[in-house]
Amino acid sequence: MLSYILASITAILFLVADQFSKYFVSKNLIEGQSYDFLPGLINITYIHNDGAAWGMLGGHTWLLLSITIVVMLAGIALLLKWGLKDKVIFWAAAFILAGGIGNMIDRVFNSGFVVDFLEFAFIDFPVFNIADCAIVIGAGLIMLSLVKSIIDEQRKKSRANVVEEPQEDNNGDI
């Protein structure tokens, strides 16, 4: 039970951190402005993103909101179907919901765009935000859970297929 409470609190903290950080960046930087946060590693670069990752589907707010709602419904379905049986799935769904809510709040209240501001300075990667991090963590946890399930299933099959061979006793007799 403690794990479920911690997952819920952590997801809420992700959502609060996401909204606070977006508010802070939008009030203290001009759109397009960049600040070396950790020089050579992470920049704070304030942009408005009206698309999804890499700006895909830019300007299609209603489609992106619809996709977000579908993903969030899938997160709720995960919680209802497996969440209380599998702690990892519960954590994953909680993170995906927190990230989805964070970005949906932006799209609804910011004329269809999300505030992105985290930029890796050492690679060419799209600018993102904390809600995106929560979604990626949730998706990663689902993949880990899936891999674990596959491994567990293979182990069960291997054990079921093992045929015990007769053992010799100390005299060489079977």
Side-chain angles (χ1 to χ4, degrees), residues 26-119:
S26 66
K27 293 300 178 197
N28 291 289
L29 294 175
I30 299 166
E31 186 181 357
Q33 184 179 1
S34 189
Y35 170 77
D36 289 337
F37 182 68
L38 295 173
L41 294 176
I42 298 176
N43 297 331
I44 303 298
T45 302
Y46 175 34
I47 66 165
H48 291 171
N49 182 359
D50 68 348
W54 287 276
M56 293 185 298
L57 300 173
H60 293 90
T61 302
W62 290 107
L63 178 60
L64 290 168
L65 280 172
S66 299
I67 291 169
T68 301
I69 289 168
V70 168
V71 169
M72 290 174 55
L73 288 173
I76 292 168
L78 277 173
L79 283 174
L80 295 175
K81 178 81 173 160
W82 293 291
L84 296 177
K85 299 174 192 167
D86 187 331
K87 291 177 186 176
V88 175
I89 293 295
F90 188 92
W91 278 82
F95 281 6
I96 289 169
L97 288 170
I101 291 168
N103 281 338
M104 188 162 41
I105 289 170
D106 276 18
R107 289 200 193 284
V108 170
F109 294 105
N110 289 333
S111 301
F113 66 84
V114 297
V115 172
D116 284 338
F117 60 92
L118 295 170
E119 178 183 32

Side-chain angles (χ1 to χ4, degrees), residues 5-15 91 95 98:
I5 294 169
L6 282 173
S8 300
I9 291 170
T10 303
I12 291 167
L13 290 175
F14 259 94
L15 178 58
W91 278 82
F95 281 6

Side-chain angles (χ1 to χ4, degrees), residues 153-170:
E153 188 64 32
Q154 289 300 317
R155 284 184 180 158
K156 285 180 187 176
K157 285 181 182 178
S158 293
R159 288 183 190 131
N161 291 333
V162 171
V163 177
E164 289 189 32
E165 295 183 22
Q167 299 292 322
E168 291 184 15
D169 63 13
N170 290 340

